[in-house]
Amino acid sequence: MSIFVDETTKVIYQGLTGSQGSYYGRLNKEYGTQVVAGTHPKKAGTDVNGVPIYANVAEAVEATGATASCIFIPAAGVRGAVMEAAEGGVKFVVAVTEGVPAHDEAIFYNQLKRDYPDVQLLGPNCPGIISPGKCNIGITAGHIAKPGGPVGIVSRSGTLTYQALYELKQKDIGVTTCVGIGGDPVPGTSFIDCLEAFEADSETKAIMMIGEIGGSAEEEAAEYIKDNVTKPVSSYIAGVTAPPGKKMGHAGAIVSGGKGTAKAKMEALEAAGVRVGNNPTEAGELMAEIVASL
Amino acid sequence: MDLFEYQGKQFFAEYGMPTSPGKIAFTIEEAIQAAEELGTPVMVKAQVHTGGRGKAGGVKFAATIEDVREHATNIVGLDIKGHTVGRVWIEKASDIAEEYYASFTLDRSAKKHLGMLSKEGGVEIETVAEENPDAIAKIWVDPVDGLSEEQCKAWVEAANLPSEAFGGTVDILMKLYEAYTEGDADLVEINPLILTPEGKVHVLDAKVTLDGNSVFRHKSYEQYDETQTRDERETAAHAKGLQYVGLEGSVGVIANGAGLAMSTVDVINQVGGKPANFLDIGGGANADVMAGALEVINNDPNVKAIFINIFGGITRGEEVANGILEAMKRVAIESPIVIRLDGTNADEGRAILEPNLSDKLLMETTMLDAARTAVQLAQ
């Protein structure tokens, strides 16, 4: 099994006609993802590499029965695109776009919670989600992940996610689903959402969690793990030596007012029984030990 | 983007909040001229992107023009926590009866906007939060609904401000919330918000951080780009569109992806070295971006070795390898380079690099080994 998406997930690409959208839409399709439609208000009736374009998400859903969408729209249009997806009837929305204003994120996050509580948003500013061998939505290089299980991955960082997938593959360890929740201040899907789903997934036997400095999402995840997660968890937190007050690339990755340090996060996770590595390789080795002992 | 106090006040004034008249001065003469135009007494206030200006002697009251000359002489060029004062704000002095604190920022846990109001202003809010947390009235505002006047009144009520400050504070907070949301700010803070002996509520300081991601809908924000605090290296990297943060060490870092770059900085520290920078060149790692990155690092006199840490995802190893070789032809690099290339088609990429290896270009297969080698070379 996998979480959130699998081989039956039909996906609409909002922005499929753009350069990023058409590129990754094609790669996702080649991977085996059911890329069933694209949207563009003025290009309905045309197609991109054989994928039909509809005027909006609602029409694409009606015609294809899609349940998910992936957003490759420039930052200014993401708020509108997220709401269009929810109103159009999809239940899982992946927003890859980076550079979305935090106030827009705060608005559509709360609007979804209130008006479309059954819609799950992933991102913005995330690499997407991959259930290896079944479905890949976003910009992850599919072939670096080994299908199967027993590990589920959730991560705030793109390249470190790839690193984790790759290290596990080198050790011949499979992955049920790998979720990149993204490095923005208001991510649609949290660590806890993923931990809960992995805990409930029978094929996932262990969980790898990759965090970074800034905010308190890792501390909240640690609390959740302590009380609710029975499966073993390994973790890595990037930014142990990041200086306070400097944004390290991601909008959310900043230590401010002494809060959000890697040290505090690592201690919270360790206190919750998580095995924490000092670098991505060590976290991979810890996971290999966990898998060997399953 | 951090605004100077005077920029913050001008920003607040656009939303109708009451601020004091003032002028910006870059020299002592300009400061005196500004004071003459405004009329003494005035405040002479250092404009830097850091707190603790008062303690450092960067904020002074000047009763006369002579005082202005003396204070401006001391403050212009003053170092405050590593920030050199390049400009001072000359502002008409205000009489103060009471000092309050007000701010809005995003509560990332609650995913709501958090407003804080305290009648104990003028000191750092962290201190109040620690010593007397009950003195801070908090409000969580749903970003979809916004702040209603009714909510705002209840909030000000909860802060126990004196009745004569009530109306003026509600008015300012409503405008502050508007400035915060419509202006796409990460933080708006007034400390102190003052009550004058005449019973007027007034903005006496302004701390504003704007969301750099919102510039597409606020064209005027481009003006703030040039007043950001950046060292020479950061300025050069920023001009090339690179995600760069200057650090103090001797190992230059180039990595693709923010997480991997952060992780690279960590690993260098873990093996006993000191990174010179954080630099994320993004997913592609092509020759143009790599050349730009190498140029920035090469111009840093502290750099003694360079660690290029690339994980190929969609980008294949051979493209990365060719990009690095091409970039090295364009930039005359002085320090030795250690490359760690992994991920998609890493073997093919390494095969391309192999014939070019020398004591100036080394390759390691793991991140840890590469970090150790780079650190050794930097010593």
Side-chain angles (χ1 to χ4, degrees):
Chain A
M1 287 239 308
S2 45
I3 66 166
F4 302 142
V5 298
D6 60 24
E7 65 276 17
T8 66
T9 309
K10 291 181 180 174
V11 194
I12 297 164
Y13 284 66
Q14 296 171 260
L16 189 68
T17 52
S19 64
Q20 296 272 306
S22 61
Y23 179 66
Y24 290 107
R26 181 172 58 78
L27 291 187
N28 288 173
K29 193 176 173 208
E30 284 168 8
Y31 188 77
T33 309
Q34 289 205 49
V35 179
V36 296
T39 58
H40 192 287
K42 290 179 192 147
K43 294 181 182 165
T46 63
D47 75 278
V48 174
N49 303 320
V51 178
I53 303 296
Y54 297 88
N56 55 54
V57 173
E59 287 180 19
V61 166
E62 168 132 26
T64 64
T67 54
S69 90
C70 182
I71 296 173
F72 277 103
I73 302 257
V78 168
R79 181 176 159 191
V82 168
M83 294 320 296
E84 182 192 324
E87 284 157 16
V90 297
K91 299 299 173 207
F92 193 76
V93 183
V94 179
V96 173
T97 312
E98 64 178 314
V100 178
H103 281 271
D104 284 7
E105 293 182 6
I107 288 174
F108 60 67
Y109 178 91
N110 284 284
Q111 207 154 8
L112 287 181
K113 282 273 175 268
R114 175 187 313 182
D115 300 336
Y116 302 94
D118 57 341
V119 173
Q120 176 115 37
L121 171 69
L122 180 62
N125 189 17
C126 77
I129 179 167
I130 176 169
S131 293
K134 297 173 180 171
C135 179
N136 183 12
I137 307 174
I139 61 174
T140 304
H143 56 86
I144 57 173
K146 181 176 151 59
V151 180
I153 301 177
V154 55
S155 169
R156 251 172 90 182
S157 149
T159 31
L160 289 178
T161 312
Y162 308 158
Q163 176 79 39
L165 283 170
Y166 187 73
E167 297 216 11
L168 293 184
K169 192 184 181 185
Q170 302 293 89
K171 295 177 167 68
D172 204 34
I173 298 170
V175 171
T176 50
T177 299
C178 174
V179 193
I181 60 173
D184 271 7
V186 195
T189 293
S190 67
F191 280 125
I192 292 173
D193 295 329
C194 299
L195 291 167
E196 188 182 6
F198 282 132
E199 177 69 17
D201 175 41
S202 59
E203 205 188 323
T204 302
K205 309 284 186 207
I207 305 164
M208 192 162 174
M209 181 181 139
I210 299 166
E212 62 187 26
I213 53 164
S216 55
E218 290 80 1
E219 287 88 334
E220 287 153 22
E223 276 301 305
Y224 183 85
I225 290 169
K226 203 189 290 176
D227 300 334
N228 302 286
V229 178
T230 59
K231 299 175 181 178
V233 183
S234 85
S235 182
Y236 167 66
I237 307 292
V240 180
T241 54
K246 299 254 190 189
K247 250 179 215 168
M248 298 305 249
H250 285 157
I254 182 166
V255 173
S256 55
K259 292 216 176 100
T261 65
K263 191 165 173 278
K265 292 172 187 298
M266 290 163 83
E267 284 169 3
L269 287 163
E270 272 168 354
V274 174
R275 298 183 68 185
V276 183
N278 286 310
N279 52 61
T281 310
E282 213 176 289
E285 281 160 5
L286 289 174
M287 184 44 80
E289 281 175 29
I290 289 171
V291 170
S293 68
L294 283 173
Chain B
M1 288 186 291
D2 294 323
L3 268 53
F4 285 125
E5 173 199 358
Y6 77 96
Q7 294 170 326
K9 283 179 172 166
Q10 289 164 352
F11 175 76
F12 285 166
E14 281 170 35
Y15 289 90
M17 284 177 257
T19 58
S20 306
K23 287 180 186 303
I24 194 72
F26 295 85
T27 64
I28 297 150
E29 278 62 47
E30 281 176 21
I32 291 165
Q33 199 189 340
E36 281 168 350
E37 284 170 28
L38 292 163
T40 49
V42 295
M43 297 300 294
V44 182
K45 304 182 84 176
Q47 300 297 293
V48 280
H49 293 305
T50 183
R53 293 177 299 167
K55 273 185 205 154
V59 179
K60 293 285 181 191
F61 172 78
T64 65
I65 293 295
E66 256 329 288
D67 289 351
V68 174
R69 180 187 302 280
E70 183 193 333
H71 295 319
T73 306
N74 291 333
I75 293 173
V76 174
L78 181 71
D79 181 281
I80 301 176
K81 294 184 187 166
H83 299 252
T84 308
V85 180
R87 57 186 84 191
V88 289
W89 175 241
I90 309 298
E91 179 175 279
K92 196 92 180 121
S94 300
D95 290 325
I96 301 171
E98 295 195 24
E99 296 183 291
Y100 313 131
Y101 170 97
S103 70
F104 284 104
T105 187
L106 175 72
D107 180 338
R108 286 167 61 172
S109 299
K111 316 271 197 304
K112 303 258 192 284
H113 299 310
L114 169 64
M116 291 197 279
L117 178 64
S118 174
K119 62 176 179 180
E120 294 186 16
V123 289
E124 284 192 20
I125 195 67
E126 287 82 4
T127 314
V128 182
E130 229 167 74
E131 290 168 6
N132 192 7
D134 291 343
I136 303 172
K138 293 181 179 175
I139 186 172
W140 279 268
V141 184
D142 188 306
V144 180
D145 299 332
L147 177 67
S148 72
E149 190 152 348
E150 214 179 345
Q151 283 176 312
C152 187
K153 283 179 174 163
W155 176 32
V156 176
E157 199 105 30
N160 288 318
L161 302 190
S163 58
E164 69 239 68
F166 187 83
T169 303
V170 169
D171 183 55
I172 286 178
L173 290 175
M174 291 302 291
K175 287 168 176 162
L176 185 65
Y177 184 77
E178 194 187 339
Y180 169 67
T181 51
E182 285 185 15
D184 275 299
D186 290 337
L187 166 74
V188 290
E189 184 182 82
I190 307 173
N191 189 20
L193 175 72
I194 60 160
L195 178 68
T196 67
E198 298 81 42
K200 292 229 162 53
V201 184
H202 191 84
V203 174
L204 206 62
D205 197 2
K207 190 172 173 196
V208 175
T209 305
L210 299 172
D211 181 355
N213 285 345
S214 74
V215 176
F216 68 81
R217 59 185 173 212
H218 303 285
K219 289 296 168 209
S220 67
Y221 289 2
E222 282 164 15
Q223 64 175 306
Y224 303 125
D225 190 53
E226 56 192 74
T227 51
Q228 295 309 297
T229 306
R230 297 191 182 102
D231 67 22
E232 227 171 278
R233 303 171 296 169
E234 288 173 338
T235 307
H238 183 71
K240 291 181 195 294
L242 296 168
Q243 294 276 349
Y244 179 101
V245 177
L247 303 168
E248 308 296 320
S250 58
V251 181
V253 170
I254 298 176
N256 66 332
L260 188 64
M262 237 188 288
S263 187
T264 309
V265 165
D266 287 347
V267 170
I268 289 169
N269 276 302
Q270 281 165 12
V271 299
K274 288 271 173 260
N277 64 278
F278 161 99
L279 203 173
D280 166 20
I281 56 168
N286 64 36
D288 287 343
V289 182
M290 188 59 82
L294 280 172
E295 215 170 291
V296 170
I297 296 212
N298 201 39
N299 286 339
D300 182 344
N302 291 330
V303 168
K304 301 285 179 268
I306 302 170
F307 178 6
I308 301 180
N309 190 6
I310 303 291
F311 188 89
I314 298 283
T315 314
R316 297 192 306 273
E318 53 266 44
E319 291 172 55
V320 175
N322 285 324
I324 292 171
L325 293 177
E326 172 64 28
M328 286 177 64
K329 280 185 211 152
R330 292 194 220 163
V331 189
I333 319 279
E334 287 162 23
S335 311
I337 298 175
V338 184
I339 298 173
R340 174 260 183 175
L341 177 60
D342 215 336
T344 308
N345 289 10
D347 288 340
E348 288 83 344
R350 290 186 201 132
I352 291 169
L353 292 170
E354 199 78 44
N356 297 282
L357 296 180
S358 66
D359 57 348
K360 284 284 193 189
L361 183 67
L362 299 92
M363 193 160 62
E364 298 285 356
T365 40
T366 71
M367 199 160 145
L368 269 175
D369 286 339
R372 283 194 193 102
T373 306
V375 168
Q376 244 167 34
L377 289 167
Q379 275 157 2

